[in-house]
């Protein structure tokens, strides 16, 4: 047992257990569930219905922690509803699209009244009673409207609450904390710092101006009802990452985790060092079971996605009457509103910013190579006794381009697989659907990169309108070359003869002779920084500059462009291993301040599973 978990057990092991008088508990006891497990199921589902609790118990029948006495943690939040909530959600969505995810996206819009505190399962109903009683007590003094003032700094953006109104909210929080602590035997700490509603937190400083422009489109005087709501979370997983399953995965081995699309997974980053590449070990929020799962079947989820919404108190300031409701249709557990349409004001800002956009840079990892599928000895599988190429598997290319030197050079400069060709064309078609205007294309001299650029252009229907500029400076970190020598690439003449759409007039910023074997990480980052700056200066016109490189290309090129510091060399290799075929990053230039910022790529990612070689004779006919 981990030390942290042992401490949690110690806190609750000497607590006296009681029985709730909840009417929801009796049907579960009648079905034979032990009282403490039935209580846990009710709390885990927000004490909504017996059916919800029974379904949770069925899902957690193999949960090894089902008997654990560790309670949930609870927090009291003041949440906006109505039109103000919709405008805040518009900002949430648009700020994430333009500037990427920041810490504020982890939780829905709220004002913290009480920080998280543990409460035993059988005493949670007392918290509900306290919330109703304190709400009634403050029924006439709660502000008819809450005045919000925008505040911005290089790492924080949000609304501050007017002092006179904040004092009333603090009194409400203190009263709830005091009575809940006394009745429910738990330590509730009210939030007494300046009350605020966070819009963005821990973002890159160069995104501040964009975020402020979007925030100014929010009218804080929009009609709004405020709701004091209790939320709970599993205190064992507070410091874990959360993943959402994109696809179903059925275990192939006993130590693997069964997941369904939409499942939420808790992952402890400290436990991943010994896990095989491409896998993570995690605990299912739906079942409580733990095991290995493929990382590329998941995406990052938000912190609040695993929280449970309990009782709430709606402050109806229009009629000065207060109604306790079970559910507000304008608020969901994960903070997403039913109406996600972007407000007219936010849309205007977006259109203004797009009009001001001078250029974009799309940095892309090449498609699937044959050696990634068939191994380093792939060429030996495709050569006849007299040295001629033949297609040993349908995922091998139908033919190889002609080159004057030995065909053996393809071992160090392998081509795309047929799936890689399809992937590249699919990305081009997706960019065409999004009306992305590609004005220039640069490629590493590696054959797989040239081929990727070629087929992306075909998907974009820009071949031969836009020609590929082969830039040796875009080749990957030479330290990773297994042969300890720079590969012998195809010449420009050979590429043209093979019908690749090459710009033969282009002269690279880094000649091939400048590439040195086993260069240091600092030299590679310096080379990447220099080449991206030279590419930008050579392409002053509007449009997207497509750069096709390697997995190692994405971080140094984009971070140099946006002014971010270099990544630490110690975790660089691990980061690159997570970049799939056709993985991409996108940067936009802001005309008003002549700076670049990282935003979401214009198209979605491309995920697919492995497909092993199939021998019907050995599989079907063998007894």
């Amino acid at each position: 047992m981990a030390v942290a978990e042992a401490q949690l057990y110690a806190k609750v092991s000497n607590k006296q257990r009681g029985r709730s008088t909840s009417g929801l508990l009796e049907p579960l006891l009648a079905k034979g569930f032990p009282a403490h497990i039935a209580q846990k199921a009710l709390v885990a589902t927000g004490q909504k219905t017996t059916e919800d609790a029974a379904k949770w118990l069925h899902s957690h029948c193999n949960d090894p922690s089902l008997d654990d006495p560790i309670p949930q943690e609870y927090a009291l939040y003041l949440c906006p509803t109505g039109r103000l909530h919709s405008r805040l959600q518009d900002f949430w969505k648009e700020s994430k699209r333009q500037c990427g995810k920041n810490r504020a996206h982890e939780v829905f819009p709220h004002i913290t009244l009480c920080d998280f505190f543990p409460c035993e399962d059988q005493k949670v109903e007392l918290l509900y009673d306290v919330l109703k009683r304190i709400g009634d007590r403050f029924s006439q003094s709660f502000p008819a409207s809450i005045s919000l003032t925008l505040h911005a700094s290089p790492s924080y953006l949000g609304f501050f609450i007017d002092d006179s109104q904040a004092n009333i909210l603090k009194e409400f929080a203190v009263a709830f904390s005091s009575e809940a602590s006394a009745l429910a035997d738990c330590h509730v700490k009210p939030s007494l710092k300046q009350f605020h509603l966070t819009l963005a937190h821990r973002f890159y400083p160069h995104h501040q101006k964009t975020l402020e422009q979007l925030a100014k489109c929010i009218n804080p005087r929009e009609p709004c009802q405020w709701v004091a709501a209790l939320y709970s979370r599993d205190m064992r997983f507070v410091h874990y990452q959360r993943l959402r399953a994109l696809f179903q995965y059925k275990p192939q081995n006993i130590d693997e985790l069964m997941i369904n699309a939409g499942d939420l997974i808790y992952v402890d980053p400290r436990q991943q060092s010994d896990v095989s590449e491409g896998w993570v070990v995690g605990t299912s929020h739906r079942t409580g079971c733990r095991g290995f799962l493929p990382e590329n079947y998941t995406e990052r989820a938000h912190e609040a996605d695993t929280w449970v919404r309990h009782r709430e108190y709606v402050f109806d300031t229009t009629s000065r009457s207060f109604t306790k409701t079970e559910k507000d249709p304008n608020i969901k557990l994960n903070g997403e509103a039913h109406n996600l349409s972007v407000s007219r004001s936010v849309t205007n800002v977006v259109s203004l910013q797009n009009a001001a956009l001078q250029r974009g840079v799309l940095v892309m990892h090449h498609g699937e190579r044959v050696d990634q599928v068939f191994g380093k000895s792939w060429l030996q599988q495709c050569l006849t006794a007299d040295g001629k190429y033949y297609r040993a598997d349908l995922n091998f290319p139908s033919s190889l381009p002609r080159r004057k030197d030995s065909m053996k050079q393809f071992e160090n400069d392998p081509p795309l697989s047929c799936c890689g060709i399809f992937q590249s064309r699919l990305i081009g078609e997706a960019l065409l659907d999004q009306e992305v205007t590609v004005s220039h294309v640069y490629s590493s001299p590696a054959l797989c990169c040239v081929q990727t650029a070629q087929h992306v252009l075909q998907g974009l229907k820009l071949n031969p309108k836009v020609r590929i500029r082969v830039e040796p400076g875009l080749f990957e970190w030479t330290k990773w070359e297994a042969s300890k020598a720079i590969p012998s690439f195809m010449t420009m003449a050979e590429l043209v003869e093979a019908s690749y759409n090459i710009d033969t007039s282009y002269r690279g910023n880094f000649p091939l002779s400048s590439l040195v074997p086993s260069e240091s990480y600092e030299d590679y980052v310096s080379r990447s920084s220099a080449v991206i700056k030279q590419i930008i200066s050579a392409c002053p016109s509007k449009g997207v500059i497509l750069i096709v490189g390697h997995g190692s290309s994405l971080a140094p090129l984009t971070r140099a462009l946006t002014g971010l510091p270099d990544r630490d060399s110690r975790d660089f290799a691990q980061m690159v291993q997570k970049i799939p075929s056709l993985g991409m990053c996108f940067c936009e230039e802001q005309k008003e301040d002549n700076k670049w910022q990282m935003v979401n790529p214009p198209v979605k990612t491309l995920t697919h599973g492995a497909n092993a070689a199939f021998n019907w004779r050995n599989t079907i006919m063998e007894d």
Side-chain angles (χ1 to χ4, degrees):
M1 185 188 302
V3 174
E5 290 187 6
Q7 292 173 344
L8 291 175
Y9 277 89
K11 289 180 180 179
V12 299
S13 60
N14 58 354
K15 292 281 187 178
Q16 206 173 17
R17 293 191 171 275
R19 274 192 60 175
S20 168
T21 58
S22 169
L24 299 175
L25 182 63
E26 296 303 328
L28 295 175
L29 297 178
K31 292 180 180 181
F33 293 111
H36 67 286
I37 292 180
Q39 287 277 11
K40 176 176 280 193
L42 286 169
V43 167
T45 54
Q47 299 219 33
K48 300 294 191 303
T49 66
T50 301
E51 290 74 17
D52 287 343
K55 185 177 179 180
W56 185 92
L57 285 166
H58 177 73
S59 298
H60 285 257
C61 60
N62 295 317
D63 184 351
S65 66
L66 197 58
D67 277 317
D68 287 356
I70 299 176
Q72 296 275 304
E73 281 188 323
Y74 297 81
L76 184 63
Y77 285 169
L78 188 66
C79 304
T81 67
R83 287 169 57 181
L84 178 59
H85 178 262
S86 297
R87 296 297 175 263
L88 291 169
Q89 288 296 340
D90 292 340
F91 172 86
W92 239 252
K93 181 179 178 181
E94 193 58 32
S95 64
K96 188 174 181 180
R97 188 191 74 82
Q98 293 198 39
C99 303
K101 184 178 175 181
N102 64 69
R103 190 68 181 86
H105 288 113
E106 293 289 341
V107 186
F108 42 82
H110 70 279
I111 299 169
T112 302
L113 297 177
C114 296
D115 297 323
F116 276 100
F117 59 92
C119 179
E120 294 177 82
D121 294 343
Q122 67 270 24
K123 296 179 179 178
V124 171
E125 285 193 71
L126 296 173
L127 298 181
Y128 303 164
D129 295 339
V130 171
L131 178 60
K132 173 66 169 64
R133 188 158 51 251
I134 299 302
D136 289 342
R137 187 187 307 171
F138 280 78
S139 60
Q140 298 303 313
S141 59
F142 192 87
S145 64
I146 295 180
S147 178
L148 304 173
T149 304
L150 187 64
H151 171 80
S153 73
S155 63
Y156 177 85
L157 182 72
F159 289 118
F160 281 5
I161 315 301
D162 177 79
D163 285 344
S164 60
Q165 297 170 341
N167 288 335
I168 298 175
L169 301 184
K170 288 178 182 179
E171 291 174 11
F172 175 82
V174 169
F176 174 85
S177 301
S178 177
E179 195 161 329
S181 297
L183 291 180
D185 189 25
C186 51
H187 179 64
V188 185
K189 182 180 178 181
S191 178
L192 298 178
K193 56 188 177 181
Q194 183 164 19
F195 275 11
H196 57 276
L197 192 156
T198 300
L199 297 176
H201 183 38
R202 295 185 187 173
F203 49 83
Y204 290 123
H206 63 276
H207 286 154
Q208 180 181 350
K209 189 171 183 180
T210 301
L211 292 170
E212 283 189 59
Q213 287 179 319
L214 292 173
K216 289 175 181 177
C217 297
I218 303 172
N219 179 8
R221 296 181 180 84
E222 290 275 17
C224 173
Q225 274 189 328
W226 292 89
V227 176
L230 277 169
Y231 287 88
S232 73
R233 68 184 183 188
D234 194 322
M235 62 194 300
R236 297 172 299 167
F237 304 114
V238 169
H239 300 296
Y240 283 47
Q241 293 178 348
R242 292 152 187 83
L243 303 178
R244 177 181 285 104
L246 297 171
F247 315 102
Q248 184 186 62
Y249 179 75
K250 295 182 178 180
Q252 308 298 310
N253 298 291
I254 194 172
D255 59 353
E256 294 176 2
L257 184 65
M258 171 69 185
I259 57 173
N260 294 328
D263 279 1
L264 293 160
I265 314 295
Y266 297 107
V267 172
D268 187 350
R270 299 167 297 180
Q271 298 177 356
Q272 309 305 315
S273 57
D274 296 330
V275 178
S276 300
E277 179 184 341
W279 291 77
V280 293
V281 59
T283 301
S284 169
H285 174 71
R286 178 175 62 86
T287 67
C289 296
R290 188 170 185 268
F292 294 94
L293 65 148
E295 188 175 16
N296 65 347
Y297 275 50
T298 66
E299 65 178 358
R300 289 291 296 272
H302 295 148
E303 179 183 341
D305 290 347
T306 55
W307 293 359
V308 178
R309 186 180 179 94
H310 291 258
R311 298 298 189 271
E312 62 186 35
Y313 199 93
V314 179
F315 292 92
D316 185 0
T317 54
T318 56
S319 62
R320 283 298 171 190
S321 63
F322 300 82
T323 307
K324 188 178 82 170
T325 63
E326 297 296 327
K327 187 175 182 181
D328 189 325
N330 289 321
I331 303 178
K332 289 187 177 180
L333 177 62
N334 61 2
E336 294 289 336
H338 283 294
N339 180 14
L340 292 179
S341 59
V342 180
S343 67
R344 183 177 304 170
S345 55
V346 172
T347 304
N348 289 341
V349 170
V350 175
S351 62
L352 287 173
Q353 290 181 341
N354 287 338
L357 176 66
Q358 288 183 311
R359 293 168 292 179
V361 172
L362 183 62
V363 184
M364 183 183 298
H365 187 196
H366 58 72
E368 179 186 87
R369 289 192 321 242
V370 291
D371 62 314
Q372 294 172 323
V373 182
F374 300 102
K376 293 296 182 182
S377 61
W378 68 272
L379 190 57
Q380 298 174 21
Q381 306 172 43
C382 300
L383 293 180
T384 61
D386 57 355
K388 293 183 179 179
Y389 174 82
Y390 76 99
R391 195 179 196 181
D393 185 284
L394 286 180
N395 202 20
F396 283 115
S398 58
S399 62
L400 294 178
R402 289 175 54 187
R403 53 188 306 164
K404 294 178 181 178
D405 52 14
S406 170
M407 188 179 290
K408 291 277 189 182
Q409 299 297 339
F410 282 120
E411 289 184 342
N412 296 323
D413 187 24
L416 293 180
S417 67
C418 281
C419 285
I421 292 171
F422 169 75
Q423 291 172 336
S424 304
R425 195 168 299 160
L426 186 64
I427 290 293
E429 291 170 354
L431 291 169
L432 179 65
D433 289 342
Q434 294 299 317
E435 299 181 352
V436 176
T437 304
V438 172
S439 56
H440 299 86
V441 178
Y442 288 81
S443 170
S444 160
L447 177 58
C448 60
C449 295
V450 174
Q451 290 178 317
T452 299
Q454 175 88 357
H455 292 289
V456 169
L457 285 173
Q458 287 181 0
L460 276 163
K461 297 182 179 180
L462 289 176
N463 194 12
K465 297 178 183 177
V466 178
R467 297 191 177 275
I468 303 168
R469 296 177 176 180
V470 178
E471 173 53 65
L474 291 172
F475 187 59
E476 68 179 338
W477 187 11
T478 61
K479 180 181 178 180
W480 289 347
E481 282 301 300
S483 65
K484 304 302 180 185
I486 304 301
S488 177
F489 302 114
M490 292 179 66
T491 66
M492 296 300 104
E494 288 172 335
L495 291 171
V496 171
E497 183 183 355
S499 299
Y500 294 115
N501 189 33
I502 305 299
D503 184 351
T504 55
S505 65
Y506 177 73
R507 297 294 178 264
N509 296 296
F510 286 79
L512 281 172
S513 58
S514 68
L515 297 178
V516 296
S518 300
E519 67 187 328
S520 68
Y521 177 70
E522 291 71 21
D523 287 343
Y524 172 62
V525 170
S526 177
R527 166 161 65 91
S528 300
S529 177
V531 75
I532 189 64
K533 291 175 182 177
Q534 290 168 349
I535 287 174
I536 293 303
S537 63
C539 304
S541 58
K542 292 182 180 180
V544 172
I545 304 167
L546 172 62
I547 298 176
V548 181
H550 306 264
S552 61
S553 305
L554 270 64
L557 291 176
T558 56
R559 292 177 77 90
L561 189 59
T562 55
L564 296 176
D566 303 333
R567 286 195 69 112
D568 193 312
S569 61
R570 291 172 293 184
D571 65 0
F572 183 69
Q574 186 177 8
M575 180 271 296
V576 171
Q577 289 173 355
K578 296 180 179 180
I579 299 174
S581 299
L582 278 305
M584 62 188 78
C585 291
F586 190 55
C587 299
E588 286 181 345
E589 184 185 37
Q590 299 302 308
K591 185 176 181 180
E592 63 274 9
D593 53 13
N594 198 31
K595 290 183 178 179
W596 293 82
Q597 66 177 14
M598 191 97 74
V599 297
N600 287 333
V603 297
K604 299 294 185 181
T605 56
L606 175 64
T607 307
H608 58 83
N611 192 56
F614 173 64
N615 186 309
W616 65 270
R617 188 182 303 277
N618 294 342
T619 306
I620 305 300
M621 301 299 291
E622 190 178 60
D623 292 331

